[in-house]
C-alpha cells in the first residue's frame, strides 16, 4: 500500500512529461510534413544527372 504513495505521483509526472514532449515537438514543426520527404526520395531527379553529364563533357 505504501508503494502506491510513490507510484501514483511518479506515473502522473511521467504522463505529464510525455504530453509536454508531444506538444513541444508539435509546436516545433516535427509533424508538419510527413509525406514530403518520403515521396521526394521516390522521384528521380534526371535534371541533376543530366547537368553532371554536360559538365563532365565540357
Amino acid at each position: 500500500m505504501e508503494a502506491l504513495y510513490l507510484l501514483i505521483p511518479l506515473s502522473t509526472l511521467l504522463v505529464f512529461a510525455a504530453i509536454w514532449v508531444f506538444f513541444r515537438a508539435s509546436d516545433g514543426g516535427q509533424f508538419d510534413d510527413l509525406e514530403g520527404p518520403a515521396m521526394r526520395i521516390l522521384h528521380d531527379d534526371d535534371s541533376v544527372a543530366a547537368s553532371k553529364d554536360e559538365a563532365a563533357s565540357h
Side-chain angles (χ1 to χ4, degrees), residues 43-55:
H43 295 290
D44 290 333
D45 197 6
D46 294 333
S47 62
V48 173
S51 64
K52 285 182 183 178
D53 290 339
E54 288 177 10

Side-chain angles (χ1 to χ4, degrees), residues 14-33:
L14 183 66
V15 167
F16 283 124
I19 290 171
W20 178 77
V21 167
F22 172 75
F23 281 114
R24 175 116 181 181
S26 179
D27 288 340
Q30 182 74 27
F31 307 114
D32 283 349
D33 186 14

Side-chain angles (χ1 to χ4, degrees), residues 10 24 29 42:
L10 284 179
R24 175 116 181 181
L42 297 176

